[in-house]
C-alpha cells in the first residue's frame, strides 16, 4: 500500500486532526485506469463544493490534481482514495478559521469481487438502519459515515453486493456505497439527494449520458412501489461503474429484474470514457 | 499537552484507523478535579453502551478506568478527553470484526471562559442548522460530529455561550455541547433523546438529583413555546457543570430568564459531588 500525508510518504496523522476528533472532512474514492483517473474532474468538483459548504479553506486544487495524477501514473488499475480534513485544531467544535487542511492520498489494489463479474447483475438488500436527513450535509461525501458503517454491517453474505438505504419516511435514497437508478417508460429516475445521501460522481456521469441515450432523467422521491413498477434498476459507484440489479430483497419479499439493457449500454459507454 | 495512544505517550495515529476514515468511534470529555474524575462511572457506562450499539468490541473497561485514573491523578483541574475508535481496518465500510479498538487519552487545560464566571447565567442562541434524526445513533457521543461543528461555526460572539439545536420538526434537542433543562411548576423537563442528540452524563446526574429536590423529571418533546412558558432554563455539560440560561435569542426575538434557583441548587450539590 502506498500512502502520502500532505504529500509526504507515510501513514501517520496527528490525533488532534479534526478528522479523528469529529469526522471533520471529506473524501473521494477514485478508479485509476491505464489512461488516468476516471472522472477526475467530477471528483475534484464535488470535493471543492464540499470544502465550500463545510467552510474548509486552503485547498490548492491545481496542486492536488497534479499530485493525484502523479500518484495514479504508477498504476494501470487501482483505487485511489483522497481524504481532505479541516486539519489540526484546538479542543472544541468551533473551527477558529486558522486550521490548515490535511490531505491523505492512498493507493489500494482493486478488490477482485467488485469487478470479477462486472457484467453480472447483482443482488441487493434493503437495510434496516435509516439515513438521518440534513440539508446542510446532503450530497456531500463527508467523513461522518457511521450510518453507512452500520448499514454495511447488517449483512455478511458475500453474494449480496449492496444494501439500499431509506430515510425515516421510507423513501429510497442510495446504497451504502452507491447510487440508485430505476427505469420505466424511457424515464430514468434517481433519488433526489436534497436531504441525505451522497451525490456520486458516477451518478453524475450517468445523468450526463442519459440525454444522449434518449432517456428523460428525473431526480425525485423514489419509494418501494416505484422500484416495483420499474422495468430495470442499476446502481452506480465511481470504482465499480454501472452495476445492473438482479434482485432486491426486503425480508421475505424479493423483487427481480430481468431487463438490463440500459445498464449494459451505459457500461459500454463507460468503457470508452 | 499530554497524550497517549493505546497507553503509549504520543500524538500519532495510523491514517487507516477508522476514526479518520469514517468517524467510526466514540468519545468522552471529562472534568478532572483534585479528588478525581467527576462522574467517571457515568462516562464509562455511556462509552460501554456506545461500544455495544456500534458493535465495537475488545475494550477493557477496568483497565481503561485504571489508565484514566492514573492520568488524572497528576492534575487538580483539567479536561480529560478519551476517544475510542473501532481501530485500523481495511478499505470499505464493513467492519470485518477483527479490528482492535484504539484508545486516545489526552489531558487539556481547563478553558478559562468556560468557568471564569461559573455563577453567571449565560446567553444562548438558536442555531439554524438542524439535527438529522437516527434512532440507531441517538444519545451516543460518536465521532460523527459535523452537525455540531457547523452549528458551533454559526457564531463568533464570545458573549454567547451556547447554541440550541432543533431537529427537522423544530423540536429543541440540545446545545452544540450541552443538554437543556426547563422548569415549570416543579416539573423539570429535558428533551427526549430517542431520535438525535447526545445523552450527557451531567444530564443524567441532574435527573438523578432532581428527585431529591422534589422535582418531577420528564423526558419529552420540548418546543419553543415550552421554553417561553418555562420559569427557568439551564444547560448541562460534563466539564462546565450546570449553567443557568439568562436569555435565548432566535433572530430578533429574545427570551429572558430571571429565575435561576434550581440551577443554583444543582450547582451547590455538584460542588459536593
Amino acid at each position: 500500500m502506498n500512502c502520502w500525508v500532505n504529500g509526504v510518504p507515510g501513514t501517520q496523522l496527528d490525533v488532534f486532526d479534526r478528522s479523528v476528533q469529529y469526522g471533520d472532512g471529506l473524501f473521494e474514492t477514485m478508479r485509476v485506469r491505464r489512461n488516468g483517473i476516471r472522472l477526475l474532474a467530477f471528483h475534484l468538483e464535488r470535493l471543492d463544493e464540499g470544502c465550500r459548504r463545510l467552510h474548509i479553506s486552503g485547498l490548492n486544487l491545481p496542486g492536488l490534481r497534479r499530485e493525484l495524477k502523479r500518484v495514479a501514473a504508477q498504476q494501470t488499475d487501482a483505487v485511489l482514495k483522497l481524504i481532505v480534513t479541516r486539519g489540526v485544531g484546538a479542543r472544541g467544535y468551533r473551527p477558529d478559521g486558522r486550521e490548515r487542511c490535511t490531505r491523505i492520498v492512498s493507493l489500494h489494489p482493486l478488490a477482485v469481487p467488485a469487478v470479477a463479474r462486472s457484467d453480472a447483475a447483482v443482488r441487493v438488500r434493503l437495510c434496516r438502519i435509516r439515513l438521518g436527513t440534513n440539508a446542510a450535509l446532503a450530497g456531500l461525501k463527508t467523513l461522518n459515515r457511521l450510518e453507512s458503517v452500520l448499514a454495511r454491517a447488517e449483512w455478511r453474505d458475500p453474494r449480496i453486493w449492496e444494501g439500499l438505504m431509506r430515510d425515516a419516511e421510507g423513501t429510497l435514497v442510495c446504497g451504502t456505497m452507491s447510487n440508485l437508478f430505476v427505469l420505466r417508460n424511457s424515464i430514468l429516475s434517481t433519488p433526489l439527494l436534497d436531504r441525505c445521501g451522497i451525490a456520486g460522481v458516477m451518478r453524475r456521469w450517468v445523468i450526463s449520458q442519459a440525454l444522449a441515450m434518449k432517456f428523460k432523467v428525473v431526480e425525485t422521491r423514489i419509494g418501494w412501489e416505484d422500484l416495483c413498477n420499474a422495468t430495470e434498476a442499476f446502481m452506480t459507484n465511481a470504482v465499480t461503474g454501472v452495476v445492473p440489479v438482479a434482485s432486491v430483497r426486503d425480508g421475505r419479499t424479493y423483487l427481480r429484474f430481468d431487463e438490463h439493457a440500459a445498464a449494459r449500454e451505459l457500461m459500454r459507454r463507460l468503457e470508452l470514457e
Side-chain angles (χ1 to χ4, degrees), chain A:
Chain A
M1 184 144 38
N2 297 307
C3 186
W4 297 260
V5 178
N6 289 329
V8 178
T11 58
Q12 297 291 298
L13 184 69
D14 192 311
V15 296
F16 298 107
D17 190 280
R18 291 175 61 100
S19 58
V20 181
Q21 304 279 322
Y22 308 125
D24 194 0
L26 299 153
F27 71 112
E28 297 289 334
T29 310
M30 295 163 272
R31 173 73 175 268
V32 180
R33 312 200 76 170
R34 194 178 301 272
N35 56 353
I37 301 167
R38 190 161 69 185
L39 305 181
L40 176 58
F42 285 4
H43 281 290
L44 291 175
E45 282 173 35
R46 178 173 60 183
L47 179 68
D48 192 38
E49 192 206 335
C51 285
R52 187 179 55 71
R53 285 172 58 188
L54 297 186
H55 317 297
I56 292 176
S57 57
L59 187 65
N60 173 358
L61 268 185
L64 177 62
R65 180 193 302 267
R66 283 193 297 275
E67 179 182 4
L68 294 174
K69 285 190 162 190
R70 196 166 55 237
V71 167
Q74 310 165 6
Q75 306 290 320
T76 56
D77 218 5
V79 175
L80 181 60
K81 182 163 178 176
L82 165 68
I83 294 176
V84 172
T85 86
R86 196 184 303 277
V88 173
R91 210 179 63 76
Y93 292 129
R94 188 165 80 88
D96 66 9
R98 288 174 301 181
E99 297 87 1
R100 298 185 61 179
C101 62
T102 302
R103 61 185 196 282
I104 305 167
V105 174
S106 58
L107 263 177
H108 306 256
L110 203 58
V112 176
V115 289
R117 298 282 312 279
S118 64
D119 59 336
V122 299
R123 289 164 63 172
V124 173
R125 69 189 292 284
L126 221 53
C127 291
R128 288 186 299 277
I129 190 173
R130 302 300 178 97
L131 285 162
T133 57
N134 194 324
L137 300 173
L140 300 183
K141 201 168 172 82
T142 77
L143 297 176
N144 277 205
R145 293 264 66 83
L146 268 174
E147 291 175 332
S148 315
V149 169
L150 293 182
R152 189 57 191 82
E154 286 186 11
W155 82 97
R156 288 177 167 271
D157 184 345
R159 295 168 300 176
I160 298 172
W161 186 74
E162 177 60 303
L164 265 177
M165 299 183 73
R166 294 163 287 185
D167 61 20
E169 295 170 7
T171 308
L172 299 169
V173 179
C174 56
T176 65
M177 57 168 185
S178 62
N179 290 109
L180 170 71
F181 285 86
V182 301
L183 184 67
R184 189 192 182 195
N185 297 339
S186 295
I187 297 175
L188 192 59
S189 305
T190 189
L192 188 62
L193 302 177
D194 57 337
R195 303 188 299 200
C196 53
I198 297 175
V201 298
M202 192 55 69
R203 173 182 183 270
R204 183 175 164 191
W205 179 82
V206 166
I207 291 172
S208 76
Q209 293 297 306
L211 288 172
M213 290 169 66
K214 306 275 196 292
F215 291 131
K216 183 173 180 232
V217 180
V218 288
E219 296 179 69
T220 182
R221 308 276 176 234
I222 296 181
W224 176 259
E225 64 287 359
D226 299 305
L227 201 57
C228 292
N229 292 331
T231 51
E232 184 175 343
F234 57 86
M235 315 289 294
T236 60
N237 166 293
V239 171
T240 316
V242 176
V243 182
V245 173
S247 66
V248 182
R249 176 182 176 176
D250 179 19
R252 295 194 301 138
T253 306
Y254 290 80
L255 179 60
R256 294 180 57 92
F257 294 96
D258 299 315
E259 175 63 49
H260 306 301
R264 293 259 149 74
E265 170 62 13
L266 284 161
M267 289 158 86
R268 193 188 63 78
R269 285 170 176 257
L270 188 59
E271 280 300 309
L272 307 173
E273 186 71 22

